[in-house]
Amino acid sequence: MPKTVLVTGGAGFIGSHTCVELLQHGYDVVVVDDHSNSSPRALERIAKVAGTPLAAVYGIDVRDRRALSSVFAAHRFDAVIHFAAKKAVGESVEIPLEYYDINVGGTTALLAAMHEHGVHRLVFSSSCSIYGNATEVPLTEQSPAGPTNPYARTKLLCEEILDDACRRLPELSVLALRYFNPVGAHPSGLLGEDPHGVPNNVMPYVAQVAAGRLPRLSVFGNDYPTPDGTGIRDYIHVVDVAEGHRTALEHLGDENGMRVFNLGTGVGSSVLDLVAAFSEASGRQIPYEITGRRPGDVAELVADPSAVARAWNWATTRDLATMCRDAWRFQELNPTGYGA
Ligand code: UDP
């Protein structure tokens, strides 16, 4: 019997790539997505890339407990992957209460539905942003948390809620994956990052500048204590992130309780490194200007990815050049993303 997995936020950037990875490995995949920051067209692309359809799709908000409960009643889920959340640092400073409502409220609603329907296995989408101003780089899972913005605080709070739930419910098995900066696109050029409106994140912004859709990149600060003064991040290819989720599913049964793992490459790149790599991959100039720091930003976030390597014998395989090449292919083949 194939295993059935519920993917919340399955039409989103990481969700869609993870759905492809799961379908290609024989899982039955059910998607819940309210399309607040994703296109229903991504769902058609998932089926096309994977060569097999999703088992079911529900256009609901995970906080809608009645609707969510009926989804659980209609399927026998072996596990859940919870992506559905808001994820922009800058926006979270502007509308913090929406972030708490959607990210934390969505997670507790999902946990309630899992509990009600006897589903005990969860992979949770966490974030390296919970580490905040890193006192040591690279960051291990034991590095102290110190979130510097509401988005990061919602993710840390969700981890703490999941930990509390695991202490109370010994049958639960939860893996929280703290991803660093997922970028890139599926090598087919059919799936990629297509945020609504002007992108908040640097890679889709740079792609749109390269394509001429946006005039120039604003580089948020060049006075950080880094070699070129711009922020350093550990960019990770979205297909590596997707593979990481599939691998995590396979390890949910190893032991019960709450476990956290970094998902990163261990390689840090500055904003200007990214601009140079994207320029090389696209053959285009990327005009930019240095502007002020963005509220809530930190200087450097780079993973120590060794824990996951030890636990699962798994590591990322795609470098920054591949991330830029694949992001550019998606941009070129889909100049307006998935379309209106
Ligand atoms: N960044 C930038 N210009 C932008 C967006 C982001 O200079 O238009 C910088 C940001 O300050 C950080 C890095 O790019 O140093 C990654 O930001 P992003 O929003 O992509 O991810 P985050 O690390 O905040 O989750």
Side-chain angles (χ1 to χ4, degrees):
M1 278 290 283
K3 293 214 159 121
T4 304
V5 180
L6 171 63
V7 180
T8 74
F13 176 46
I14 305 175
S16 58
H17 289 80
T18 301
C19 286
V20 166
E21 174 73 12
L22 297 183
L23 289 169
Q24 288 178 334
H25 284 81
Y27 287 89
D28 281 342
V29 180
V30 174
V31 164
V32 159
D33 198 304
D34 70 353
H35 300 301
S36 53
N37 193 30
S38 69
S39 168
R41 293 202 184 146
L43 300 167
E44 297 157 23
R45 300 283 183 95
I46 290 169
K48 193 165 170 187
V49 176
T52 176
L54 292 160
V57 175
Y58 297 91
I60 63 163
D61 183 324
V62 282
R63 292 167 299 169
D64 181 342
R65 290 188 183 227
R66 190 180 298 176
L68 191 61
S69 184
S70 63
V71 173
F72 275 80
H75 304 271
R76 276 187 72 88
F77 295 126
D78 296 283
V80 178
I81 305 181
H82 182 39
F83 292 111
K86 293 185 78 66
K87 59 158 189 174
V89 166
E91 183 187 55
S92 79
V93 176
E94 300 299 322
I95 49 168
L97 298 185
E98 276 185 53
Y99 270 69
Y100 284 103
D101 194 12
I102 294 168
N103 294 10
V104 180
T107 300
T108 53
L110 181 65
L111 276 174
M114 288 175 61
H115 187 58
E116 184 189 348
H117 294 275
V119 179
H120 307 308
R121 293 182 174 186
L122 174 68
V123 179
F124 176 72
S125 171
S126 190
S127 166
C128 67
S129 62
I130 65 152
Y131 295 116
N133 272 307
T135 47
E136 51 174 16
V137 176
L139 292 148
T140 72
E141 290 78 358
Q142 285 70 45
S143 298
T148 59
N149 57 71
Y151 162 68
R153 275 189 282 278
T154 66
K155 289 293 172 182
L156 182 59
L157 196 49
C158 285
E159 283 195 7
E160 288 169 341
I161 290 167
L162 291 167
D163 194 40
D164 283 340
C166 285
R167 285 172 200 279
R168 178 73 187 87
L169 303 166
E171 65 275 19
L172 266 182
S173 169
V174 177
L175 276 165
L177 304 183
R178 296 174 175 167
Y179 354 113
F180 282 64
N181 286 60
V183 297
H186 194 271
S188 64
L190 288 170
L191 282 177
E193 189 164 13
D194 180 27
H196 288 175
V198 177
N200 287 299
N201 295 109
V202 69
M203 183 70 114
Y205 202 106
V206 166
Q208 293 193 14
V209 172
R213 276 180 79 186
L214 291 167
R216 72 186 67 77
L217 173 72
S218 296
V219 175
F220 296 146
N222 68 346
D223 56 351
Y224 285 105
T226 62
D228 67 19
T230 68
I232 289 182
R233 295 291 182 273
D234 181 339
Y235 296 97
I236 174 172
H237 197 295
V238 65
V239 176
D240 278 324
V241 177
E243 289 177 6
H245 282 79
R246 198 246 312 152
T247 308
L249 276 184
E250 290 165 5
H251 287 275
L252 272 172
D254 293 354
E255 56 185 280
N256 288 357
M258 169 83 176
R259 289 168 287 162
V260 297
F261 285 109
N262 287 338
L263 230 52
T265 65
V267 178
S269 306
S270 72
V271 179
L272 297 184
D273 291 337
L274 183 74
V275 167
F278 206 95
S279 192
E280 173 77 26
S282 63
R284 302 282 182 99
Q285 294 281 342
I286 317 281
Y288 67 86
E289 63 180 345
I290 309 291
T291 63
R293 292 184 179 190
R294 180 173 63 178
D297 261 354
V298 298
E300 184 168 5
L301 290 167
V302 177
D304 175 343
S306 61
V308 100
R310 279 193 304 275
W312 304 343
N313 192 24
W314 178 85
T316 64
T317 57
R318 296 163 180 88
D319 63 8
L320 187 64
T322 307
M323 300 175 213
C324 292
R325 200 176 59 230
D326 290 338
W328 179 238
R329 186 181 299 112
F330 179 74
Q331 177 66 48
E332 278 205 298
L333 293 175
N334 308 271
T336 56
Y338 293 120

